[in-house]
Amino acid sequence: KAGVTQTPRYLIKTRGQQVTLSCSPISGHRSVSWYQQTPGQGLQFLFEYFSETQRNKGNFPGRFSGRQFSNSRSEMNVSTLELGDSALYLCASSLSRGRGTEAFFGQGTRLTVV
Amino acid sequence: AQRVTQPEKLLSVFKGAPVELKCNYSYSGSPELFWYVQYSRQRLQLLLRHISRESIKGFTADLNKGETSFHLKKPFAQEEDSAMYYCALSNSGAGSYQLTFGKGTKLSVIP
């Protein structure tokens, strides 16, 4: 079974631009979460989507947004990029949302803002 | 607010020695704790979860609610255990699914 796929793997953008990252979950998984990973802050929760609805959002500015499509694929968008947005963005999918649910992670998209 | 603390950024042990990776948490509800591992050039993956009370690759972890800890232990370290280990807390009982991670401990097993 194919794992979580994130595209692109690497991106270089200029301050002020916007960017869209894509995540294809494992087939049958309906919950998709996004995390930002930086050396200073570690892994931080961005948001979770389930059945095309955002269920929860982390402590990030409104420049960070996302959506989920009917096939459970998800995109996240960052507008007006800042240097501090440079990070590894990880997507995770899960089959359910109950106790003990395992999250399956993609390999991430490395975003560099210059 | 929920919080996970892993006090050691780096832990070096000799092959065959016991390993203990520390994890402490802060959470007002009934916690769900996990250990995730990332081997070199691989994606982050689940190692074990407290709800299953399982032993994976010789690793065990016991949830101690009194000490709010979920330390990861292995009696005899192997070279292939060298990796980045993350302790995580889930709040899946709150109508959403969110993991709060510690900052991770890099385990280095010396041959």
Side-chain angles (χ1 to χ4, degrees), chain A residues 3-4 31 33 35 37 40-43 45 48 55-56 90 94 96-103 105-107, chain B residues 30-32 34 36 38 41-46 49-51 86 91-92 95-99 101-103:
Chain A
V4 178
S31 172
S33 301
Y35 294 83
Q37 186 175 29
Q41 299 299 318
L43 279 153
F45 172 78
E48 186 225 352
R55 303 292 175 152
N56 197 11
L90 292 174
S94 56
S96 67
R97 302 160 78 234
R99 288 186 68 80
T101 293
E102 177 179 357
F105 285 83
Q107 292 187 295
Chain B
S30 180
E32 299 174 45
F34 303 80
Y36 280 81
Q38 188 167 28
R41 289 184 291 278
Q42 293 188 28
R43 60 187 70 193
L44 194 61
Q45 59 187 282
L46 178 69
R49 67 198 103 184
H50 94 269
I51 197 171
Y86 295 92
N91 73 339
S92 63
S96 69
Y97 181 65
Q98 171 184 342
L99 291 170
F101 286 90
K103 292 198 174 181

Side-chain angles (χ1 to χ4, degrees), chain B residues 20-81:
Chain B
E20 183 178 45
L21 300 171
K22 291 184 167 53
C23 172
N24 289 91
Y25 67 91
S26 172
Y27 185 59
S28 57
S30 180
E32 299 174 45
L33 276 298
F34 303 80
W35 277 98
Y36 280 81
V37 61
Q38 188 167 28
Y39 300 103
S40 178
R41 289 184 291 278
Q42 293 188 28
R43 60 187 70 193
L44 194 61
Q45 59 187 282
L46 178 69
L47 179 62
L48 54 79
R49 67 198 103 184
H50 94 269
I51 197 171
S52 302
R53 303 184 66 84
E54 56 204 342
S55 173
I56 303 293
K57 298 185 179 182
F59 284 98
T60 59
D62 290 318
L63 179 61
N64 186 324
K65 291 186 180 181
E67 295 182 359
T68 60
S69 67
F70 189 57
H71 304 327
L72 183 67
K73 299 178 183 179
K74 184 171 183 177
F76 307 103
Q78 301 299 315
E79 289 180 64
E80 55 266 29
D81 296 330

Side-chain angles (χ1 to χ4, degrees), chain A residues 2 103 113:
Chain A
V113 183

